[in-house]
Amino acid sequence: MSRNPNHGRTRGPSPRANEAGTGAGAAVQVGVGLGARAGAGGAVQPLRFGYGTNGLADLRLDDALALLADLGYDGVGLTLDHMHLDPLADDLAARTRRVARRLDALGLDVTVETGARYVLDPRRKHGPSLLDPDPEDRARRADLLVRAVRVAADLGAHAVHCFSGVTPAGTDEDTAWKRLAEALAPVLDAAATAGVPLAVEPEPGHLLATLADFHTLRRTLGDPGHLGLTLDIGHCQCLEPLPPADCVRAAAPWLRHVQIEDMRRGVHEHLPFGDGEIDFPPVLEALAATGYQGLTVVELPRHSHAGPHFAERSLPFLRRAAPAPDRTHRSGEPSATH
C-alpha cells in the first residue's frame, strides 16, 4: 500500500479563516476548498476522495485513519459515534484535539458526519430526530448537531453533514417542515459563528428526501449562507428524476459534501462499486467540472464487517472513473463502467 503523499503535512486552514458573507452568491465560497479551484491555465484540479468511518466501525479510530492514509485517501468522513469520537463524551474537547493532531500527522482532511444510528437513543435508530413531537427530543438532536459543528471547527473540517429524519406517524407535512426549520435555527447560528457550512442530505424515506425538498428547506429558512447540501450519488440513482450526473450539475451551487457508492433504481441499498447501476465516469466528470473541492466520501456502512477490503478496493475504482486532473474529459483510456 502507498501512504498518502500528504502524510506528515499540515492540512489547510480552518474554515473559520475562510468565512464568507451570507446569501446564495456568498454561500458557494463558505468552507475550505469548496469553491472552484483551477490550476495553471485554468486546469481542473483532481477530485479528492475519502472513506466514511461508519464503514470502518470495527476498527479503532486511530487504526482507521492510518489505514486510509496508507491507501492514499485524501480524507475521511468522520461519523461521530460512541466508538469514533463520541460526541457525548465528557472529555470531547481533549479527544477532538488528539484527533486533530492525528489528522494533521497523516495528511487527511475531514468532513464531520452525524448519521450514527444509536448515538442518542439505544432503542431508536437515528432517534430522536429534528421532527419528533417532543420539543425536548428535537432539542437533543439539535444539540448534537451544535456539538458536531464545534468539533468540525476544531478539526478544520470542510462541513458538517446532517439529515431531517423520518416524519413521525400522525404528523402532517406542514408541521414537520415547521419543526425542521425551527430545530435547525440554533445549528445554523452555530455554523455561522464557526464558519463551517451545514450540509443537509436528502435521504430516501425522510421528510427531506430529494433535491426539490432541499430547496423547500432553503427557501423556508431564507437561503442562509451557511446552509448547504450533502449530495449522495447513490440516492440520486435511487429516486431522483434526473440521472446522477445531471443531479450533480443541478446541485453544484449548494454542494458542501458528497457521498458516493453504487445503487439501483428504486432500491435504497448502498452497494460496492460495480454491484449497482451507476455509470460513474460521467458523474465524476460532472463533479470535477463544478470545481467542487470538498471530499467525495465512500459511504458503505453496511459493509463495515469487511471495511478494510472495501476501502482498498474503492479508491482505485474511483481514480479510474475520475477525469484526468488537467481537464474534465480524457479520451482513449479504459472506462470504469460496468
Side-chain angles (χ1 to χ4, degrees):
M1 295 184 293
S2 60
R3 182 169 291 278
N4 186 329
N6 292 322
H7 175 69
R9 299 178 186 174
T10 301
R11 293 175 297 125
S14 164
R16 287 173 290 185
N18 291 269
E19 185 173 357
T22 59
V28 296
Q29 300 178 22
V30 176
V32 174
L34 297 177
R37 187 175 72 181
V44 173
Q45 297 299 301
L47 293 172
R48 303 167 60 251
F49 297 115
Y51 200 92
T53 58
N54 61 359
L56 297 168
D58 294 313
L59 275 65
R60 297 177 181 87
L61 182 56
D62 275 0
D63 293 338
L65 297 179
L67 170 72
L68 298 182
D70 282 342
L71 290 174
Y73 282 92
D74 301 293
V76 58
L78 175 57
T79 295
L80 304 184
D81 208 345
H82 63 88
M83 80 295 275
H84 291 158
L85 194 56
D86 185 350
L88 303 183
D90 292 336
D91 58 346
L92 178 59
R95 293 188 186 194
T96 301
R97 287 193 293 270
R98 288 196 294 271
V99 172
R101 290 193 294 269
R102 183 68 166 153
L103 291 167
D104 282 338
L106 294 172
L108 293 173
D109 286 323
V110 60
T111 301
V112 170
E113 301 193 355
T114 61
R117 292 185 178 95
Y118 296 102
V119 68
L120 289 178
D121 188 327
R123 292 176 174 83
R124 285 194 296 162
K125 180 182 176 182
H126 296 149
S129 80
L130 297 170
L131 308 178
D132 275 23
D134 187 337
E136 292 186 2
D137 279 347
R138 297 198 297 275
R140 288 176 60 204
R141 176 60 62 172
D143 177 69
L144 175 69
L145 297 182
V146 169
R147 286 171 178 254
V149 168
R150 293 170 182 161
V151 167
D154 290 342
L155 294 179
H158 297 306
V160 172
H161 147 278
C162 71
F163 43 59
S164 68
V166 176
T167 304
T171 300
D172 65 85
E173 191 169 296
D174 288 344
T175 298
W177 281 108
K178 182 179 179 181
R179 288 176 185 169
L180 179 60
E182 291 176 349
L184 283 177
V187 185
L188 286 165
D189 287 345
T193 298
V196 180
L198 185 69
V200 180
E201 177 188 9
E203 179 79 19
H206 285 209
L207 172 69
L208 198 157
T210 65
L211 288 172
D213 293 334
F214 167 74
H215 291 299
T216 296
L217 177 65
R218 183 175 61 82
R219 289 190 295 268
T220 298
L221 291 170
D223 202 15
H226 282 81
L227 177 67
L229 173 70
T230 293
L231 187 70
D232 187 302
I233 301 303
H235 295 174
C236 297
Q237 176 70 21
C238 178
L239 53 68
E240 292 286 351
L242 295 174
D246 288 342
C247 289
V248 168
R249 285 185 279 268
W254 299 277
L255 277 184
R256 303 293 176 268
H257 182 42
V258 175
Q259 297 172 345
I260 194 166
E261 69 285 318
D262 217 337
M263 203 168 287
R264 300 187 183 99
R265 185 70 179 170
V267 182
H268 184 204
E269 181 182 4
H270 290 231
L271 299 172
F273 299 117
D275 289 1
E277 300 169 342
I278 299 175
D279 182 11
F280 283 96
V283 175
L284 295 180
E285 183 170 323
L287 187 59
T290 70
Y292 173 75
Q293 281 294 295
L295 291 172
T296 299
V297 172
V298 179
E299 185 81 358
L300 291 174
R302 295 189 179 181
H303 293 76
S304 196
H305 63 283
H309 165 75
F310 286 107
E312 183 173 6
R313 172 183 166 185
S314 296
L315 186 57
F317 180 95
L318 289 170
R319 286 176 170 167
R320 289 194 301 270
D326 59 340
R327 56 193 183 276
T328 58
H329 177 72
R330 56 182 173 186
S331 59
E333 295 201 9
S335 171
T337 55
H338 48 272

